[in-house]
Amino acid sequence: MGRNAQSISKICMLGVDLLMIFVILGTQDKKFPRLLDALQKKIDEGKISKKEEIIVQAGSTKYESKNMKIIDYMSVRKFEECIDRADLIICHAGVGTILTALKKGKKIIAAARLKQYGEHVNDHQLQILDNFTAEGYILALEDFDKIDLLIKQAKHFTPAKFKSNKRYFLRQLEKEINILG
């Protein structure tokens, strides 16, 4: 905990936990409004509190909301500050984004960008989503109509502690190089 308890973004008002949710859509040139539409729909329905602080790093996704603070691109410093402050990360299933949040011990809900919606060139993020979910690192958002339920589940979710497999990967790569060389 920091030196000032007021810097913690989660507060309790009338027994309701309010979160700082950081939504990360990445910096791809492809848009991903489907995730923001799902959040906005649940806010409008009252299933996600309008008092939750929701900050969005939107990349090339142009979106307007009176309930979410939308920022196209952030400096690295601002991005890191938002991750540090966040109680929950909701993001696309990009490896870099997930690893950055995992290394900071954050709770993560991730959604795959899909080719059928023009959100990516293929569906490789489904495999990323499956792998990180199977290891217990993240919660997978597969049904966008249930994003509010997943946010509630995330409040009690304890992600597995991240363990890098970089050494294993490097050993395997070295073996392959030796076979070829």
Side-chain angles (χ1 to χ4, degrees), residues 29-149:
D29 62 346
K30 306 275 190 248
K31 295 167 184 21
F32 196 27
R34 190 166 53 104
L35 182 56
L36 299 180
D37 285 341
L39 283 166
Q40 189 63 57
K41 178 181 176 190
K42 295 303 178 178
I43 292 168
D44 292 344
E45 291 174 355
K47 294 182 178 177
I48 295 175
S49 173
K50 290 183 181 183
K51 293 180 181 180
E52 306 280 12
E53 181 182 11
I54 303 175
I55 299 174
V56 179
Q57 180 275 310
S60 64
T61 303
K62 300 300 176 204
Y63 200 88
E64 292 197 22
S65 169
K66 60 183 181 276
N67 308 107
M68 296 182 268
K69 181 178 180 184
I70 312 286
I71 302 167
D72 293 342
Y73 296 96
M74 298 179 173
S75 68
V76 171
R77 184 182 60 77
K78 176 72 173 168
F79 185 82
E80 292 288 329
E81 285 174 9
C82 286
I83 288 179
D84 289 342
R85 280 191 52 229
D87 297 299
L88 176 63
I89 306 290
I90 300 176
C91 62
H92 69 115
V95 173
T97 301
I98 292 171
L99 287 177
T100 299
L102 275 178
K103 288 176 182 176
K104 292 184 175 260
K106 296 298 177 173
K107 295 179 180 190
I108 304 165
I109 294 173
R113 290 173 167 267
L114 299 177
K115 181 181 179 181
Q116 76 185 59
Y117 299 110
E119 298 163 346
H120 222 304
V121 296
N122 59 36
D123 289 337
H124 72 279
Q125 285 194 353
L126 287 171
Q127 185 178 13
I128 294 167
L129 195 64
D130 289 345
N131 289 337
F132 279 101
T133 303
E135 294 295 323
Y137 293 130
I138 67 172
L139 296 171
L141 176 61
E142 296 169 326
D143 183 346
F144 281 50
D145 287 331
K146 295 183 180 174
I147 193 167
D148 57 320
L149 300 176

Side-chain angles (χ1 to χ4, degrees), residues 3-46:
R3 58 179 189 222
N4 185 347
Q6 292 176 349
S7 68
I8 298 173
S9 60
K10 188 191 304 184
I11 58 175
C12 188
M13 296 179 69
L14 303 173
V16 178
D17 286 333
L18 299 180
L19 302 176
M20 190 292 227
I21 300 172
F22 186 32
V23 180
I24 306 168
L25 302 184
T27 56
Q28 289 278 330
D29 62 346
K30 306 275 190 248
K31 295 167 184 21
F32 196 27
R34 190 166 53 104
L35 182 56
L36 299 180
D37 285 341
L39 283 166
Q40 189 63 57
K41 178 181 176 190
K42 295 303 178 178
I43 292 168
D44 292 344
E45 291 174 355

Side-chain angles (χ1 to χ4, degrees), residues 172-181:
Q172 293 303 108
L173 182 61
E174 189 175 83
K175 285 179 187 176
E176 291 296 320
I177 291 170
N178 288 335
I179 289 171
L180 296 173

